[in-house]
Amino acid sequence: TYKCWQTAGHGAMNAESAIEQSCDVYFYNVGVSSGKRKTDGTYNHYIDYTPSTDAIGESHNFEGLGIEKIHTNLTKRFWFGKQTLIDLPLETDGLIPNDEWKRANDPNGDGWSIGDTVNAAIGQGYIEMTPLQIAVNTAALCNGGKVLRPRVVQSVVDDEGTVLQEFEPIVNRRIKFDSNDIGLVLEGMRKVVHDPAGTANSTNGVTKWPFTNPPDDDKQPQIMLGAKTGTAEFWKPDASLADKGFYDTHAWLSAFGPFDDPEVAVCVFIESGGEGSTNAVPVADKALRAYFEMKGDRPRGMMLRQDKNVVSDTVTSPLDDPNAGKVDSKDKTPTSTPSPESTPEGA
């Protein structure tokens, strides 16, 4: 029995609403293909089941992509299952599996199953992706299809700030999208954040983005974002338990903004972090607020110090002290500054 996280069900879903509300069952159907006709005359199919009443319902044929199309598109069009080529060592490839991979790696020699595709369709099972891969591919969704090579170093400067070497952007690949299809995906991601039914919108009427878009700030225009939450279930071994383990979840969120003219993509991954909509969203909210403060789209002082001191173990951040680094508007003197003896040289 494959259920949705929403135990009562979501009802009728289209692409936008399935992204907005993170409907598992919708993506099961997107993932599993009809397959070949079986000896009894049927194709790959599922039967409706209502757990509360133990009622068996109608039978439906799957009409989705199938694992081979999923594998081909994620590895040959998008940039999964391979290193992003960032200028750091020890990067992993990740994994987008298929039948050939499973037959070569399963100790039982079993081939791919429908259940494997159901899991893969929502990013679970054998699929492995790094947070950096998610961020790079999220950026490609909203920048016209450019899979950019991530860099740690943007430029090299001397002690006077003169640029000695600048690294130009490198495009690893360009993805072609159908404009209508990508429009549906991006609109669904906008609704995740800005529609009341979105998984990253609010909790009991309280916004999940109080830093990027403070609800009591009517002087600053709202910054529209796009996002997708994720809660990835995995088996966590525990020898102290009778069944030797339990199901735990990783918290995920991928986000970008501003929505109409994207500049930044953020991916948050919290190992054993619970639900992405609950625990990953606040991290992304703070990261995006810091970015928009750095750019000047939001006033400094909520994430970054107004005096522009770099936060360290001895220099307090506004999160720890609301007055940290604040500058008096008259004399431009910080109202809260670290003592000279506690400030690292060059901070």
Side-chain angles (χ1 to χ4, degrees):
T1 302
Y2 290 94
K3 304 175 183 179
C4 190
W5 70 268
Q6 179 67 271
T7 53
H10 283 107
M13 290 273 106
N14 59 24
E16 284 184 20
S17 58
I19 293 170
E20 172 194 14
Q21 299 177 45
S22 201
C23 178
D24 295 325
V25 172
Y26 182 92
F27 291 104
Y28 299 157
N29 280 279
V30 170
V32 181
S33 70
S34 60
K36 297 180 180 179
R37 185 185 292 271
K38 303 182 187 303
T39 55
D40 62 359
T42 65
Y43 291 92
N44 292 341
H45 59 280
Y46 66 96
I47 300 172
D48 293 334
Y49 172 64
T50 306
S52 60
T53 61
D54 201 31
I56 301 296
E58 296 181 20
S59 176
H60 308 270
N61 286 345
F62 283 108
E63 300 178 33
L65 295 168
I67 191 58
E68 295 304 330
K69 285 185 178 180
I70 293 173
H71 177 271
T72 298
N73 279 273
L74 290 182
T75 58
K76 305 300 182 185
R77 294 185 67 203
F78 289 87
W79 199 270
F80 291 106
K82 61 175 71 67
Q83 297 179 19
T84 65
L85 306 179
I86 190 173
D87 46 336
L88 286 173
L90 307 178
E91 183 181 12
T92 187
D93 291 332
L95 174 65
I96 306 298
N98 60 359
D99 180 67
E100 180 183 4
W101 173 87
K102 189 180 180 187
R103 288 184 185 277
N105 291 275
D106 191 320
N108 298 319
D110 294 334
W112 197 262
S113 71
I114 294 176
D116 292 331
T117 306
V118 168
N119 264 327
I122 58 171
Q124 296 188 162
Y126 298 110
I127 282 186
E128 296 177 355
M129 297 174 177
T130 68
L132 186 60
Q133 288 172 335
I134 295 286
V136 166
N137 284 277
T138 297
L141 284 176
C142 58
N143 69 12
K146 292 183 291 185
V147 179
L148 295 166
R149 182 177 302 181
R151 287 191 179 279
V152 174
V153 179
Q154 182 183 45
S155 60
V156 179
V157 300
D158 61 18
D159 57 354
E160 295 181 350
T162 303
V163 177
L164 304 178
Q165 183 180 6
E166 192 157 11
F167 298 95
E168 296 297 324
I170 295 176
V171 179
N172 284 339
R173 177 179 292 166
R174 293 181 183 272
I175 308 170
K176 292 183 179 179
F177 297 121
D178 179 283
S179 59
N180 292 326
D181 292 344
I182 195 63
L184 290 175
V185 172
L186 294 177
E187 179 60 15
M189 295 179 75
R190 185 195 67 78
K191 288 182 175 181
V192 168
V193 178
H194 298 285
D195 191 274
T199 54
N201 177 262
S202 60
T203 301
N204 298 324
V206 179
T207 179
K208 293 184 178 182
W209 302 87
F211 292 99
T212 304
N213 288 310
D216 55 350
D217 187 352
D218 55 5
K219 296 180 181 179
Q220 297 289 324
Q222 190 174 56
I223 298 175
M224 303 297 286
L225 306 170
K228 180 68 186 76
T229 58
T231 303
E233 194 175 52
F234 69 101
W235 180 255
K236 192 169 186 177
D238 188 334
S240 66
L241 299 177
D243 54 4
K244 306 301 182 184
F246 62 99
Y247 279 106
D248 198 359
T249 55
H250 299 312
W252 286 89
L253 179 86
S254 184
F256 68 89
F259 183 82
D260 291 327
D261 189 15
E263 301 172 5
V264 59
V266 173
C267 178
V268 176
F269 168 78
I270 305 175
E271 185 175 0
S272 297
E275 292 187 359
S277 59
T278 301
N279 298 320
V281 174
V283 179
D285 182 28
K286 293 173 183 177
L288 288 169
R289 173 71 194 213
Y291 172 80
F292 290 122
E293 284 189 15
M294 182 181 66
K295 277 195 70 248
D297 295 335
R298 287 285 185 262
R300 294 175 71 103
M302 191 173 281
M303 287 292 122
L304 307 181
R305 293 171 62 102
Q306 289 181 357
D307 61 10
K308 298 188 177 181
N309 261 326
V310 178
V311 174
S312 70
D313 56 350
T314 56
V315 180
T316 308
S317 79
L319 282 174
D320 298 320
D321 176 3
N323 294 313
K326 293 233 175 130
V327 177
D328 186 278
S329 59
K330 296 180 181 179
D331 60 14
K332 305 299 181 184
T333 301
T335 58
S336 175
T337 56
S339 60
E341 62 271 17
S342 68
T343 306
E345 185 176 355

